[in-house]
Amino acid sequence: YYYASATSDLDVYSIGINEFNTFIIECELAVPDSTDCAKPHLEQIFIAVDSGQKIKESFNSKHALSRQEFLQVLVRIAAARYIKPRKRGLPPLHSDLSLAIRELVTNVIAPRVDPAALQVSNDFRSQMVYIRETDEVLSAFMETLELLYSIYSDGKHDLKDVTADSKKLGIDEWLSLCDDLELIDDEFTLREARLCFLWSRMRVADESDAAQRRAMCNLRIEDFYECLVRLATMKRVPTDVEVGAAGVADGGELVLALRRSGEYRSWCMERQQAWNTTLEQPIWQAVHHLITIMILTVEDDVLAAGAPATGKRLSRRQI
């Protein structure tokens, strides 16, 4: 899913040839001068697996690898790299395919892949989401957050898209929310917004089953809360110290002032943080300031349109 998120379209559930080539290069999977595992051989493995089924499974994108196909590719690469001769005249490194797969994943891929690809969602949840203070902040803004969720999940759907769910939040709707609330910028990128979504979903056993696929491709309200907590760890928001020094009430007011003065971009870029950056404040404080930013962004648009602000609760009309 880490490599699937690098796509330029909304299919964040499969790996296209460009993303596959990035995976090959970053993990150094090709063996130069190999008779079976040079880069052209790996590209042939991609094509063979992708086109190998006589009847394409449901929801399997053309010219892209599903999760199951990606696993097949890894097995074939392990065989090409370790079971078959690496170079002319050299014996194979392994005769056991399971050992070859272990060697590939443990000693080749894991040390080279971006650590973000190996993040564990349940660890994040236990450390950042399933704690009393975070729950209290989310509960304090629950009415507003539920309204945002219901409005954006109720977008217009392609009737042919059986994975769409008018009561849950899809990837296109999540990205629209982030864009409308001015959350995506040079510091918090579109790729990171996609990763927030992908890391917050529940997994399913059979991605080819329509009902399970629908569950996999959409966020429930609880998943949406997690997505916001993740966003607060990946996008720099003001701290209590910065809010106090500026003499404003919360992070939303500080960001609004920075935007109006034209200083917001430089403020963000000087304080960039990645998904695994150690936060300068407790997560629940970061979540609080993030939500106030979202609220005041909407209210600023409302005021610009000549309507009165309503404080900390947003109406459906405002959104």
Side-chain angles (χ1 to χ4, degrees):
Y1 287 122
Y2 173 79
Y3 284 99
S5 71
T7 182
S8 59
D9 56 36
L10 292 175
D11 181 13
V12 293
Y13 311 107
S14 58
I15 295 177
I17 187 62
N18 291 334
E19 296 77 51
F20 180 68
N21 279 323
T22 300
F23 171 60
I24 290 174
I25 294 169
E26 291 184 349
C27 295
E28 301 177 22
L29 297 181
V31 178
D33 301 323
S34 170
T35 58
D36 295 282
C37 199
K39 190 171 183 291
H41 299 128
L42 302 186
E43 293 174 344
Q44 290 169 9
I45 288 176
F46 177 99
I47 295 171
V49 171
D50 183 56
S51 60
Q53 294 169 305
K54 294 181 179 179
I55 300 177
K56 297 293 285 183
E57 63 183 8
S58 300
F59 314 114
N60 194 340
S61 300
K62 293 182 178 179
H63 312 302
L65 300 177
S66 66
R67 180 171 63 88
Q68 294 90 337
E69 288 174 334
F70 179 64
L71 296 178
Q72 290 184 50
V73 164
L74 292 182
V75 173
R76 290 183 182 229
I77 292 176
R81 187 178 178 112
Y82 299 111
I83 303 296
K84 298 177 181 180
R86 293 170 294 151
K87 296 181 180 179
R88 297 187 187 282
L90 290 179
L93 288 178
H94 290 293
S95 58
D96 187 319
L97 183 56
S98 64
L99 292 178
I101 296 170
R102 182 181 297 276
E103 178 85 15
L104 179 73
V105 174
T106 305
N107 296 329
V108 178
I109 296 176
R112 293 172 174 82
V113 76
D114 189 314
L118 305 179
Q119 73 85 38
V120 181
S121 290
N122 281 337
D123 288 350
F124 176 86
R125 291 163 186 154
S126 63
Q127 296 165 12
M128 300 288 190
V129 185
Y130 301 154
I131 54 178
R132 177 175 56 81
E133 294 87 351
T134 300
D135 177 69
E136 289 174 350
V137 171
L138 292 171
S139 297
F141 291 98
M142 184 172 292
E143 184 178 349
T144 293
L145 296 178
E146 287 183 347
L147 184 56
L148 277 170
Y149 177 84
S150 67
I151 291 294
Y152 278 90
S153 62
D154 194 25
K156 295 182 179 180
H157 298 284
D158 183 349
L159 296 178
K160 296 180 181 180
D161 184 4
V162 297
T163 66
D165 191 326
S166 61
K167 295 183 179 181
K168 295 185 177 67
L169 195 70
I171 180 65
D172 54 337
E173 296 158 336
W174 163 250
L175 295 179
S176 293
L177 184 154
C178 289
D179 187 48
D180 291 347
L181 300 186
E182 301 179 38
L183 298 173
I184 297 175
D185 49 35
D186 294 338
E187 191 250 341
F188 179 72
T189 65
L190 185 62
R191 173 83 181 277
E192 290 175 311
R194 293 191 191 106
L195 286 172
C196 273
F197 180 92
L198 289 169
W199 289 342
S200 298
R201 298 168 306 128
M202 296 301 290
R203 302 298 190 265
V204 299
D206 184 2
E207 296 179 7
S208 65
D209 175 79
Q212 293 189 54
R213 183 81 179 186
R214 193 176 302 114
M216 184 194 79
C217 294
N218 295 277
L219 301 181
R220 304 168 303 161
I221 184 66
E222 298 85 359
D223 307 325
F224 174 61
Y225 293 150
E226 178 186 336
C227 215
L228 294 180
V229 177
R230 286 186 178 277
L231 203 161
T233 69
M234 298 171 72
K235 180 173 181 60
R236 180 61 160 81
V237 297
T239 64
D240 282 0
V241 172
E242 291 167 331
V243 167
V248 295
D250 50 44
E253 289 192 8
L254 177 52
V255 167
L256 204 60
L258 289 169
R259 285 173 177 166
R260 287 171 175 169
S261 67
E263 299 175 1
Y264 180 61
R265 183 178 184 277
S266 60
W267 184 91
C268 283
M269 297 307 292
E270 290 171 0
R271 297 164 173 79
Q272 292 185 70
Q273 63 185 37
W275 68 278
N276 57 349
T277 300
T278 300
L279 299 181
E280 297 182 30
Q281 60 185 327
I283 181 59
W284 54 89
Q285 292 178 6
V287 172
H288 177 272
H289 291 305
L290 171 67
I291 295 174
T292 63
I293 292 169
M294 295 166 64
I295 291 173
L296 291 189
T297 298
V298 175
E299 295 210 332
D300 190 48
D301 289 342
V302 171
L303 290 172
T310 62
K312 299 306 180 189
R313 292 186 178 181
L314 303 179
S315 68
R316 181 177 292 265
R317 178 182 172 187
Q318 282 178 294
I319 299 173

